[in-house]
Structures are given as C-alpha cells and as structure tokens.
Amino acid sequence: MRRIIFASLCLIVAVVGKPAEHYTDKFDGVDVSSIVTNRRLLVPYVKCVLEQGKCSPEGKELKSHIKEAIENYCAKCTDAQRHGTRTVIAHLINKEKDYWNQLTVKYDPDRKYTKKYEAELKSVKQ
C-alpha cells in the first residue's frame, strides 16, 4: 500500500513539477503591431515591465517571463509570441532607443543577450 501511495505521489510531482514547454498562449491574439505604432498603447506596457507603472493582465504575463525569454532567445515562446517579440524589440531598438536602453539595463545589464537582438534587428522595417 505504501508503494502505491509513494508511486502516486511521484507521478503527481512529475506531472505538476514538469516545466511548461511554452508560455501561455492566452494573449497570442493581441495585435502587437497596433501597440508598437501607438505610443499611447506602447508606453504603459514598457512602464509596466520597467516597474514604473501599472500592469494590465497582458503586461503582468509579459513581465513574468521577459528575463527568461531574453536569455533563452524566446525558446518557450509560441510562434505568435516569437513574431511579436521580434516586432516589439525591432521597434524599440530602431524607434524607442531610450526605452530599449532602460529595458536592457534592467533585464540584461551585462548586455550578454541584447547585443544579439541588436545585431539581428537593427534597421528592420516595421
């Protein structure tokens, strides 16, 4: 009986403790292009992840994964998230340098990861 209980607990721990293969796709339908082209929409997201303002549910989700996503080059992102991430980063690098620099200081102060994004996305047309 103890073996059955122990085996059941191990199975539960294995299932619950298994890291997600992807981030939630709950917000994959967000129109990222319309956000980056409208500062009134963009700035609150940036301020959220910089911890300088309130966060929407989408902003909270983004903030909870931003460091890991930068460090692993969006390995757990869905295709929609990967495309959206490239769109946002390209926009910030090319059109919102001050915000890009603030985000870099906060999430990659040694610039180990952001240099790769800059080399790839500098001058990408939006």
Side-chain angles (χ1 to χ4, degrees), residues 18-126:
K18 181 181 175 190
E21 291 181 29
H22 289 101
Y23 302 127
T24 181
D25 62 357
K26 182 176 175 181
F27 301 110
D28 281 9
V30 172
D31 184 359
V32 174
S33 295
S34 69
I35 293 171
V36 297
T37 58
N38 183 334
R39 287 193 98 242
R40 187 179 59 78
L41 298 174
L42 176 65
V43 170
Y45 281 103
V46 174
K47 290 195 179 266
C48 164
V49 297
L50 287 171
E51 298 179 346
Q52 298 173 354
K54 294 180 182 178
C55 292
S56 65
E58 299 93 338
K60 286 179 186 175
E61 185 69 26
L62 171 65
K63 188 167 78 169
S64 72
H65 301 296
I66 192 169
K67 185 165 178 59
E68 178 186 37
I70 288 170
E71 290 174 0
N72 68 25
Y73 208 62
C74 222
K76 291 184 180 180
C77 293
T78 64
D79 289 340
Q81 291 162 354
R82 203 168 282 109
H83 176 75
T85 298
R86 292 176 53 81
T87 299
V88 171
I89 291 175
H91 179 82
L92 293 171
I93 289 170
N94 295 305
K95 298 191 176 168
E96 299 284 351
K97 290 181 187 349
D98 184 49
Y99 281 137
W100 175 247
N101 290 332
Q102 289 179 56
L103 290 163
T104 298
V105 167
K106 181 164 184 66
Y107 291 101
D108 186 19
D110 296 329
R111 300 183 55 76
K112 285 173 51 176
Y113 309 102
T114 52
K115 285 192 289 186
K116 183 176 181 177
Y117 290 102
E118 289 170 346
E120 181 181 336
L121 299 172
K122 198 164 201 123
S123 299
V124 168
K125 294 185 181 187
Q126 299 290 305

Side-chain angles (χ1 to χ4, degrees), residues 7-21 76:
S8 297
L9 287 173
C10 287
L11 180 61
I12 291 170
V13 168
V15 170
V16 173
K18 181 181 175 190
E21 291 181 29
K76 291 184 180 180

